[in-house]
Amino acid sequence: MTVLNINKVRADFPILNEQVNGQPLVYLDSSASSQKPQAVIDTISQYYESMNANVHRGVHTLGTRATDGYEKAREAVRRFINAQYFEEIVFTRGTTTALNLVAHSYGDMVVNAGDEIVITEMEHHANLVPWQMLAKRRQAVLKYIPLQPDGTLLMSDVEAAITDRTKIVSVTHVSNVLGTINDIKAIAAVAHKHGAVMVADGAQAVPHMTVDVQALDVDFYAFSGHKMVGPTGIGVLYGRRKLLNQTEPIEFGGDMIDFVGLHDSTWTELPVKFEAGTPLIAEAIGLHAAIDYLEALGMDNVLEYEHELTRYAYEKMSEIEGLEIYGPGPDARAGLITFNLKGVHPHDLATALDADGIAIRAGHHCAQPLMKWLNQSSTARASFYIYNTTEEVDVLIESLKKTKEFFSYEF
Ligand code: PMP
């Protein structure tokens, strides 16, 4: 695994020096939230030390510095996902806010009684509940593309689900539970053939691979900064300029207006039309530093490194008897492994691993319909990122074996 200089990468993340329960921290929960390199932490401090002011308002020097930093961050995001225009990048609080924005603004505009919204059974609640609510508001039909037994989608099922009544198709790019990587470009082609728009939840994709919104041909695409070595509280909604221009904002107030009278108002240009109030200035500038960090590593290297690490972990975990892994095989998945160990509740497992300094996630992973599909009330998940190593995977494997032995002991 030479695509990343792992010692250098690890040295960039101060939290990796932490001890947890007397053991070196083994952080395997980056799908929930990634750790932050010193460069991102420093950028946020420097913002407050030398740039802090409100944006788009004051003519004073600090106001100009803050506005420049904020708008440069938008340009960095545009370049990172290869959007055509800067107006297509709307800063939000995260993926959840971005998807809710689309469902409320564009969704309420185009979806009418009897129309269809098509999603899949592997969606995170953030890409499921907003569409449920939209369907209820507009008396529309929410349809699900079913999953294959290995947690992948068949294009024939995609084609069967999407019809001329479909107005919106919304699918996760990468599943936060199964690790499935969906062919968003192919699904978008089917959606467009029927005149529907394509929305993709990129929360688990943008941190881990090159994402090109023009190549994917998506209409809306959402992701979160905190999963891609950036700060919490910042996310992005990419929207095709033509569609965003047609769409009404859902939040109103400062910055987003053009003219305000006593009874009527007009809105300013994109993208600020969708960014009412004081925006997430330090967070956007922190996200810019995160993008710079990932770009310096190279997203293709990030993908390859995680792929090799995941394959290594998948093989070792498969050797543990009674450990069941959910989702596709190692070559068709992103860098996470969701599993259960027979006879051990995932919460007990996560607690036992924590005693060895290992952080994994246990629960329903904000995907209750998917848990039902898996016939599990909860599962455990180990997720990998640029700073994890094969040695850490070995620590995980040893701790899993030890926990299995402990729970199989007849008292
Ligand atoms: N979609 C997916 C696939 C996710 O994994 C997550 C985060 N767990 C979200 C959406 C929601 O992201 P956020 O909480 O940052 O809004």
Side-chain angles (χ1 to χ4, degrees):
M1 285 202 237
T2 50
V3 285
L4 295 184
N5 181 345
I6 188 66
N7 290 333
K8 185 175 174 308
V9 171
R10 285 183 66 81
D12 289 335
F13 288 80
I15 207 165
L16 298 180
N17 297 322
E18 282 296 299
Q19 299 268 312
V20 170
N21 294 319
Q23 305 292 330
L25 168 68
V26 175
Y27 188 74
L28 301 178
D29 197 19
S30 295
S31 289
S33 200
S34 73
Q35 298 302 344
K36 322 300 171 198
Q38 193 64 52
V40 169
I41 299 168
D42 288 347
T43 298
I44 295 167
S45 300
Q46 281 157 13
Y47 167 76
Y48 285 116
E49 283 164 12
S50 62
M51 294 168 77
N52 179 50
N54 215 327
V55 294
H56 302 151
R57 290 178 174 85
V59 289
H60 58 73
T61 301
L62 284 190
T64 308
R65 278 187 203 165
T67 303
D68 279 356
Y70 184 69
E71 291 305 330
K72 276 189 185 138
R74 196 188 309 279
E75 173 56 21
V77 171
R78 186 204 64 72
R79 202 188 56 241
F80 192 57
I81 61 168
N82 195 32
Q84 201 173 352
Y85 307 107
F86 80 93
E87 296 101 308
E88 299 181 319
I89 305 301
V90 177
F91 282 123
T92 67
R93 199 163 54 78
T95 307
T96 306
T97 319
L99 292 167
N100 274 279
L101 199 167
V102 179
H104 256 285
S105 57
Y106 184 79
D108 276 5
M109 181 175 78
V110 301
V111 173
N112 292 307
D115 286 343
E116 297 165 354
I117 302 155
V118 174
I119 64 174
T120 79
E121 287 190 53
M122 72 175 90
E123 301 309 322
H124 185 282
H125 296 160
N127 195 33
L128 194 156
V129 186
W131 306 118
Q132 267 180 1
M133 298 304 289
L134 171 63
K136 283 186 186 163
R137 279 197 305 277
R138 309 297 301 168
Q139 283 89 49
V141 182
L142 182 61
K143 285 169 79 175
Y144 286 87
I145 304 168
L147 309 186
Q148 288 302 291
D150 69 349
T152 57
L153 300 176
L154 273 187
M155 279 315 289
S156 55
D157 287 334
V158 171
E159 304 215 2
I162 300 171
T163 74
D164 287 348
R165 296 250 40 183
T166 307
K167 290 288 169 61
I168 295 172
V169 178
S170 191
V171 174
T172 193
H173 196 168
V174 171
S175 162
N176 64 313
V177 175
L178 303 165
T180 313
I181 304 167
N182 289 312
D183 190 345
I184 294 297
K185 186 183 165 81
I187 303 170
V190 181
H192 292 153
K193 196 172 76 186
H194 291 279
V197 300
M198 182 72 206
V199 186
D201 171 351
Q204 299 293 348
V206 175
H208 307 285
M209 58 185 71
T210 303
V211 169
D212 179 331
V213 289
Q214 292 187 70
L216 291 174
D217 203 20
V218 284
D219 301 294
F220 296 102
Y221 194 98
F223 58 98
S224 300
H226 69 97
K227 294 182 198 280
M228 50 185 288
V229 310
T232 52
I234 183 85
V236 173
L237 173 66
Y238 159 80
R240 225 185 264 281
R241 187 168 70 172
K242 189 168 147 241
L243 296 177
L244 288 179
N245 266 326
Q246 290 165 3
T247 305
E248 279 285 294
I250 54 168
E251 283 192 327
F252 306 92
D255 225 22
M256 56 76 64
I257 48 77
D258 182 23
F259 169 81
V260 178
L262 281 182
H263 297 288
D264 285 300
S265 303
T266 55
W267 320 138
T268 189
E269 303 287 304
L270 290 178
V272 175
K273 177 175 106 171
F274 291 104
E275 295 177 356
T278 299
L280 304 143
I281 309 165
E283 292 79 1
I285 291 170
L287 177 61
H288 187 173
I291 288 173
D292 286 348
Y293 186 84
L294 290 174
E295 277 182 333
L297 295 182
M299 290 312 291
D300 291 344
N301 295 334
V302 168
L303 182 68
E304 190 177 334
Y305 183 80
E306 285 179 34
H307 184 68
E308 287 181 35
L309 191 60
T310 307
R311 194 203 322 242
Y312 179 80
Y314 191 97
E315 279 166 16
K316 294 248 168 188
M317 287 168 79
S318 303
E319 287 164 10
I320 300 177
E321 213 183 303
L323 190 148
E324 189 183 7
I325 296 176
Y326 307 109
D331 288 331
R333 67 164 60 223
L336 61 94
I337 299 179
T338 296
F339 63 100
N340 263 328
L341 194 54
K342 200 167 165 225
V344 189
H345 191 281
H347 284 124
D348 292 337
L349 181 63
T351 306
L353 263 54
D354 185 59
D356 288 339
I358 306 166
I360 62 159
R361 174 91 196 267
H364 56 57
H365 313 282
C366 299
Q368 287 180 14
L370 181 55
M371 290 299 115
K372 192 153 183 251
W373 181 84
L374 287 170
N375 206 15
Q376 302 293 327
S377 57
S378 65
T379 56
R381 180 185 69 193
S383 53
F384 310 106
Y385 208 12
I386 45 179
Y387 34 70
N388 293 123
T389 63
T390 49
E391 289 77 17
E392 288 183 315
V393 172
D394 293 340
V395 173
L396 168 72
I397 299 297
E398 280 318 302
S399 189
L400 285 171
K401 286 181 179 165
K402 199 174 77 181
T403 308
K404 181 187 156 185
E405 212 165 285
F406 177 81
F407 277 90
S408 59
Y409 185 76
E410 300 280 346
F411 290 99

